[in-house]
Amino acid sequence: MTNCTTCRTEYDETDAEAVKEHTDDVDCGQSCRCRNRPRCYNCRGSFCFCMAH
């Protein structure tokens, strides 16, 4: 198990989907706080258009 530095939860580094969620950056094309952060980041912005959040 690996501890994510973004969302502070553990994930299985052998699970490709989990690794992607905690490491691949989001680029929604908006100026959201979640831009260039992994999908596990919760920006909680009322103006965020990211489907991943």
Side-chain angles (χ1 to χ4, degrees), residues 2-51:
T2 300
N3 194 28
C4 180
T5 57
T6 301
C7 67
R8 307 280 193 246
T9 60
E10 286 190 340
Y11 66 94
D12 184 356
E13 64 275 1
T14 62
D15 180 348
E17 276 301 309
V19 170
K20 186 176 180 179
E21 180 174 346
H22 293 277
T23 60
D24 283 5
D25 292 342
V26 168
D27 186 0
C28 64
Q30 304 294 327
S31 59
C32 304
R33 287 178 288 172
C34 59
R35 191 171 187 181
N36 298 324
R37 296 181 193 259
R39 287 185 302 174
C40 64
Y41 178 75
N42 186 354
C43 71
R44 297 182 184 169
S46 60
F47 55 86
C48 182
F49 297 102
C50 295
M51 297 305 290

